[in-house]
Amino acid sequence: MTEATPHAPAHVGVLGGGRMGAGIAHAFLLAGSRVTVVERDADAAEAAAHRVLESVDASITRGAAAEPREAYRARFDASTDVALFAPCDLVVEAVPEVLALKVDALTRVEAQLGPDAVLASNTSSISIDELAAVLDRPSRFLGMHFFNPVPASTLVEIVRGAATAPPLVDDARAWVHALGKTPIIVADAPGFASSRLGVAIGLEAIRMLEEGVASAEDIDAAMTLGYKHPVGPLRLTDIVGLDVRLGISEYLAANLGERFEPPALLRRLVAEGHLGRKSGRGFYEWDAS
């Protein structure tokens, strides 16, 4: 007897249409879901729609999408109204990595959902149990940590909270397989598995650059050529965003100790507005257009 083919949820909501949110929306659209993205205002919603549909167009051009553009457009909408999440089977929160923002976002979304809907956070470091504590239905909540860029990444980290209903983990695993990606299951802990390891390498690379051990290019080459990493830790920090990595490292330092304390160089670059690819400059120069 063969296993049933996994299916994505029929209707998926994404709160936040930035680079990560748009990537998550794109992934579920290509998997056959109807997708609703909600943003803070009309301009942000329009920008989110552009990101998602541009990404879909790129997938069609590469031959990675099975349907014509019109079919995807018919299943997609972007709005400012969280009430549109009411019929969703799954809503993924993808707002910035700030605890207060996530608490506000999750509580607003949960109030719109039916009792059987699943609420997930794309947090890369904040405790799922800490977020679940503010919810009315913590058993219907878990972490689904996607990786940037979502279309190219094949990993999704599923984070199981203490209150998460076990069948939810199985459902999430099936959804990730339906996206053509690979799930890993981790217990709730600061930084989970991926961020804890990735940030540790990234922070040490920044310290090495700060100490003059080697150039950014040579530090990255040590990892791409010596350890077969697809991208070096400093270039990856630019792609993720120096401000994002700073926030995660501060959270990990508060929970796991001084080994995650952000280097002074990272703090200085963020204070100067050098946030990586999105600002045009971080450890490298980028085309910010």
Side-chain angles (χ1 to χ4, degrees):
M1 183 176 176
T2 58
E3 292 186 8
T5 302
H7 294 283
H11 193 168
V12 174
V14 181
L15 184 68
R19 185 182 298 273
M20 286 301 301
I24 294 167
H26 165 270
F28 280 106
L29 264 178
L30 262 61
S33 302
R34 177 171 184 80
V35 176
T36 299
V37 172
V38 171
E39 260 288 5
R40 65 186 180 276
D41 56 45
D43 288 344
E46 183 179 354
H50 177 74
R51 286 187 199 99
V52 173
L53 295 175
E54 186 178 53
S55 186
V56 167
D57 285 346
S59 293
I60 292 171
T61 300
R62 292 195 307 271
E67 300 176 82
R69 187 174 193 259
E70 293 72 22
Y72 295 112
R73 290 182 70 92
R75 296 202 310 272
F76 173 75
D77 58 291
S79 175
T80 61
D81 186 2
V82 292
L84 294 181
F85 287 152
C88 289
D89 305 288
L90 165 70
V91 175
V92 181
E93 166 272 306
V95 304
E97 197 75 354
V98 177
L99 178 61
L101 285 178
K102 289 192 179 290
V103 166
D104 175 68
L106 291 167
T107 52
R108 285 191 297 116
V109 171
E110 187 190 40
Q112 304 299 325
L113 300 182
D116 295 327
V118 177
L119 181 57
S121 175
N122 183 54
T123 181
S124 56
S125 63
I126 296 173
S127 167
I128 292 300
D129 289 341
E130 188 173 1
L131 295 173
V134 304
L135 299 176
D136 292 331
R137 298 188 295 276
S139 65
R140 305 299 297 169
F141 176 66
L142 78 170
M144 290 185 72
H145 176 208
F146 290 79
F147 289 77
N148 187 21
V150 177
S153 173
T154 57
L155 177 67
V156 178
E157 191 172 36
I158 298 171
V159 187
R160 181 185 66 242
T164 303
L168 236 63
V169 177
D170 294 332
D171 289 343
R173 182 188 284 114
W175 296 336
V176 171
H177 282 302
L179 299 179
K181 301 182 186 297
T182 300
I184 62 171
I185 313 298
V186 300
D188 185 40
F192 315 132
S194 59
S195 291
R196 189 164 169 175
L197 290 169
V199 169
I201 294 171
L203 293 179
E204 190 59 31
I206 297 169
R207 293 186 191 101
M208 290 170 64
L209 182 64
E210 193 173 50
E211 294 166 8
V213 173
S215 68
E217 292 83 355
D218 287 347
I219 291 169
D220 279 352
M223 300 308 293
T224 58
L225 302 178
Y227 289 86
K228 304 304 180 186
H229 287 203
V231 62
L234 295 172
R235 187 172 293 275
L236 180 60
T237 298
D238 271 10
I239 294 169
V240 170
L242 275 69
D243 53 335
V244 173
R245 183 137 286 183
L246 174 61
I248 294 171
S249 61
E250 287 177 333
Y251 180 83
L252 293 179
N255 286 274
L256 295 175
E258 64 180 15
R259 68 187 186 276
F260 287 100
E261 182 63 29
L265 175 59
L266 178 59
R267 292 190 184 279
R268 178 172 63 79
L269 289 173
V270 171
E272 293 172 352
H274 303 312
L275 308 181
R277 181 169 64 180
K278 61 188 172 186
S279 71
R281 179 182 166 191
F283 298 108
Y284 294 88
E285 299 288 337
W286 297 83
D287 181 0
S289 60

